[in-house]
């Protein structure tokens, strides 16, 4: 999709299109297969021991993610939609993310080895059987309309891929089976440090049509004063200067190189920190302190969304296979209308906002996705990172996390008042 081409009335891509060559059901089956291929590809080079090892108390062992992905699929696409009994009794309890904190997940009798693989493929077989028997074109059920529940399950698998990639950063000698430089970073760009956004009455959130999470709805108007926002994400170079001047904590995975510079170690490989790349793996407190040091502040999530208007997700470093960021200023042809580049992709951007419900919010299809997380303890991140699958990222997408988290693919860009 090229820039400027209308996506739909609401600005969303309709991801499941009904066409003569590709009936809705076939299209869904293909996308489910593609999602699973990617999931398995990410772990293909790992041993059983690596799949089950706890690398960090705040991350699940990879085997848990795999079982959870399949169990969530069974819960919705087999049990709920297909009205079938659970395949393995009480298995669902082990994979309930809210009941089982990440640090205890390896102590649970979760599925492992061949048992895990066969459960994943048996669930998929049943999902396809159920899908075959549905009539998606003539349904009034909001969970089925436009394939909603299938989009939900796809998005869930995509999001767990990103969690898996967080852990893979810690796996020594991890070797991806496939890399792709992704969208070439060209054209690069030069420009002012900051660009102005007019403000006024801005429509925030996802409209009624097309797939979006409940927390992105309803779309509503927000009044914004004019403001300025950084044209690019904050770079490693700028962040290193902040750390050197203030003694602030460096980003996750950074170490002193002994000569006044920094190295970065991920997936078992140590490299010099590249000053031109966006800074990544900083927590909210580091991001906020950087902004203050720079004489600026973090944007609110509404300012971020207003600034992101017009950003092209096809010209963004998303979809994982680059296994890292493009230089700040890259992908200028995907720029937002205000001139900011890389609003989508590369790094999640911390905002000043707490994760709160939009006025008129309704939990759908279940309160445990978003509603239980609303409140001042979670901060909103926007825009997606290199590690996010493209199909789950849009300008209205809201990610959230605890402010002390830095294992996520998080960076920032700053804002300031118009003065
Ligand atoms: C939106 C990334 C915070 O990982 O907890 C995965 C996504 N929700 N399974 C998370 C999610 C249910 C969620 N985040
Ligand atoms: Fe989940």
């Amino acid at each position: 999709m090229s820039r400027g081409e209308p996506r739909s009335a609401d600005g969303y891509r309709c991801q499941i299109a009904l066409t003569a060559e590709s009936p809705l059901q076939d299209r869904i089956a293909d996308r489910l297969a593609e999602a699973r291929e990617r999931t398995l590809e990410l772990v293909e080079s790992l041993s059983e021991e690596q799949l089950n090892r706890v690398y960090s108390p705040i991350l699940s062992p990879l085997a848990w993610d795999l079982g959870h992905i399949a169990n969530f699929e069974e819960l919705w696409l087999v049990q709920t939609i297909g009205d079938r009994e659970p395949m393995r009794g009480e298995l669902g309890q082990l994979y309930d993310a809210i009941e089982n904190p990440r640090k205890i997940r390896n102590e649970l009798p979760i599925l492992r080895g061949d048992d895990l693989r066969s459960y994943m493929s048996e669930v998929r077989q049943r999902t396809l059987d159920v899908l075959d028997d549905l009539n998606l074109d003539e349904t009034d059920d909001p969970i089925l309309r436009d394939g909603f529940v299938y989009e939900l399950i796809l998005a869930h698998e995509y999001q767990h891929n990103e969690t898996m990639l967080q852990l893979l950063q810690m796996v020594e000698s991890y070797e991806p089976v496939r890399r792709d430089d992704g969208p070439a970073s060209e054209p690069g760009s030069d420009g002012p440090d900051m660009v102005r956004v007019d403000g006024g009455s801005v429509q925030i959130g996802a409209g009624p049509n097309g797939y979006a999470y409940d927390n992105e709805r309803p779309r509503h108007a927000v009044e914004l004063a004019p403001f300025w926002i950084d044209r690019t994400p904050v770079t490693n170079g700028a962040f290193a200067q902040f750390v050197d001047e203030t003694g602030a904590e460096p980003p996750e995975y950074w170490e002193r190189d002994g000569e006044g510079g920094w190295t970065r170690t991920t997936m078992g490989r140590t490299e010099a920190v590249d000053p031109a790349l966006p800074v990544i793996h900083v927590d909210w407190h580091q991001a906020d302190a950087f902004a203050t040091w720079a004489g600026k502040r973090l944007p609110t999530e509404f300012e971020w969304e207003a600034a992101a208007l017009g950003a092209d997700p096809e010209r963004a470093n998303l979809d994982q296979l680059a296994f890292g960021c493009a230089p700040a200023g890259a992908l200028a042809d995907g720029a937002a209308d205000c001139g900011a580049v890389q609003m989508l992709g590369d790094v999640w951007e911390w905002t000043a906002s707490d994760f709160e419900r939009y006025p008129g919010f309704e939990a759908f299809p279940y309160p445990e996705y978003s509603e239980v997380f609303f409140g001042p303890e979670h901060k909103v991140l926007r825009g997606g990172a290199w590690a996010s699958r493209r199909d789950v990222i849009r300008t209205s997408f809201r990610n959230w996390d605890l402010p002390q988290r830095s294992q996520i693919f998080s960076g920032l860009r700053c804002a300031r008042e118009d003065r």
Side-chain angles (χ1 to χ4, degrees):
M1 175 139 357
S2 67
R3 192 141 175 258
E5 187 183 328
R7 288 176 195 154
S8 74
D10 301 308
Y12 292 91
R13 290 174 296 164
C14 178
Q15 293 171 339
I16 294 182
L18 183 60
T19 68
E21 319 82 80
S22 170
L24 183 54
Q25 255 119 317
D26 288 354
R27 179 93 183 94
I28 291 172
D30 288 350
R31 291 182 61 214
L32 288 167
E34 192 274 345
R36 184 56 46 83
E37 264 168 50
R38 177 63 63 83
T39 298
L40 295 176
E41 188 177 303
L42 288 175
V43 298
E44 194 180 311
S45 63
L46 298 177
S47 67
E48 189 58 24
E49 193 275 326
Q50 288 172 311
L51 286 177
N52 286 284
R53 198 191 303 175
V54 177
Y55 285 86
S56 156
I58 58 171
L59 288 170
S60 318
L62 291 160
W64 188 89
D65 281 276
L66 296 175
H68 169 82
I69 289 169
N71 187 247
F72 196 72
E73 176 180 336
E74 190 202 341
L75 185 66
W76 286 98
L77 302 187
V78 183
Q79 295 171 33
T80 305
I81 304 302
D83 207 17
R84 303 207 191 174
E85 289 300 309
M87 288 161 55
R88 308 251 188 136
E90 306 294 282
L91 189 69
Q93 288 178 8
L94 304 177
Y95 292 113
D96 184 320
I98 293 178
E99 291 302 314
N100 302 291
R102 287 174 172 184
K103 64 172 181 292
I104 67 137
R105 289 179 186 169
N106 199 39
E107 294 152 27
L108 302 169
I110 58 170
L111 300 174
R112 302 177 201 268
D114 292 345
D115 205 19
L116 172 59
R117 303 290 174 151
S118 51
Y119 174 70
M120 294 177 83
S121 52
E122 283 163 30
V123 170
R124 179 50 54 87
Q125 193 46 59
R126 281 170 200 234
T127 291
L128 297 177
D129 291 347
V130 170
L131 178 61
D132 246 3
D133 293 342
L134 286 181
N135 188 343
L136 287 176
D137 301 324
E138 286 161 35
T139 177
D140 291 329
D141 187 343
I143 202 151
L144 290 177
R145 204 185 302 135
D146 300 324
F148 179 90
V149 72
Y150 292 93
E151 294 284 1
L152 175 76
I153 268 37
L154 283 163
H156 185 253
E157 184 150 357
Y158 297 154
Q159 290 207 264
H160 273 275
N161 278 187
E162 186 170 332
T163 327
M164 292 162 67
L165 276 161
Q166 291 166 19
L167 182 125
L168 290 170
Q169 302 308 298
M170 303 176 192
V171 176
E172 232 164 275
S173 77
Y174 174 69
E175 196 48 72
V177 297
R178 182 161 63 109
R179 280 179 190 264
D180 177 350
D181 290 335
S185 15
E186 299 301 319
S189 61
D190 254 335
D193 287 350
M194 300 189 91
V195 293
R196 188 174 184 276
V197 182
D198 288 341
S201 176
V202 179
Q203 289 293 322
I204 296 293
N209 303 316
Y211 183 76
Y213 281 115
D214 56 2
N215 64 56
E216 297 165 64
R217 291 184 163 134
R219 189 165 165 86
H220 61 291
V222 169
E223 203 57 45
L224 292 180
F227 64 97
W228 291 74
I229 193 159
D230 286 348
R231 195 180 58 86
T232 74
V234 168
T235 62
N236 283 329
F239 205 86
Q241 197 188 340
F242 159 65
V243 171
D244 290 342
E245 278 185 26
T246 64
E249 262 310 286
E252 193 76 53
Y253 305 120
W254 282 29
E255 272 172 68
R256 288 272 179 208
D257 68 359
E259 292 162 27
W262 295 96
T263 63
R264 202 175 167 263
T265 304
T266 53
M267 305 191 313
R269 276 174 291 277
T270 301
E271 298 164 345
V273 165
D274 182 342
L277 297 183
V279 69
I280 191 164
H281 296 297
V282 294
D283 73 19
W284 184 88
H285 299 291
Q286 290 168 298
D288 186 53
F290 175 91
T292 305
W293 172 81
K296 304 177 188 175
R297 59 173 173 80
L298 292 177
T300 66
E301 65 166 319
F302 300 144
E303 287 173 333
W304 188 96
E305 192 167 327
L309 197 74
D312 182 358
E314 304 296 328
R315 292 296 299 153
N317 180 15
L318 291 162
D319 235 24
Q320 310 172 335
L321 298 181
F323 282 92
C325 291
L331 293 150
D333 55 351
D337 297 343
C338 70
V341 301
Q342 292 163 303
M343 294 296 290
L344 301 176
D346 287 298
V347 296
W348 284 105
E349 299 179 16
W350 284 113
T351 71
S353 303
D354 297 338
F355 185 50
E356 297 288 3
R357 72 191 64 220
Y358 287 171
F361 168 84
E362 280 175 51
F364 183 76
Y366 69 120
E368 288 77 19
Y369 185 80
S370 312
E371 194 170 22
V372 300
F373 297 99
F374 286 140
E377 62 277 17
H378 293 103
K379 294 291 182 191
V380 173
L381 300 111
R382 293 297 202 112
W386 66 261
S388 313
R389 295 248 30 211
R390 192 180 312 277
D391 276 356
V392 82
I393 298 305
R394 47 194 169 262
T395 54
S396 64
F397 187 92
R398 309 169 76 200
N399 194 5
W400 67 90
D401 221 315
L402 297 171
Q404 67 269 30
R405 288 291 188 249
S406 57
Q407 91 286 2
I408 57 178
F409 298 98
S410 47
L412 74 149
R413 86 173 70 212
C414 306
R416 68 165 171 80
E417 314 302 304
D418 188 31
R419 52 173 188 247

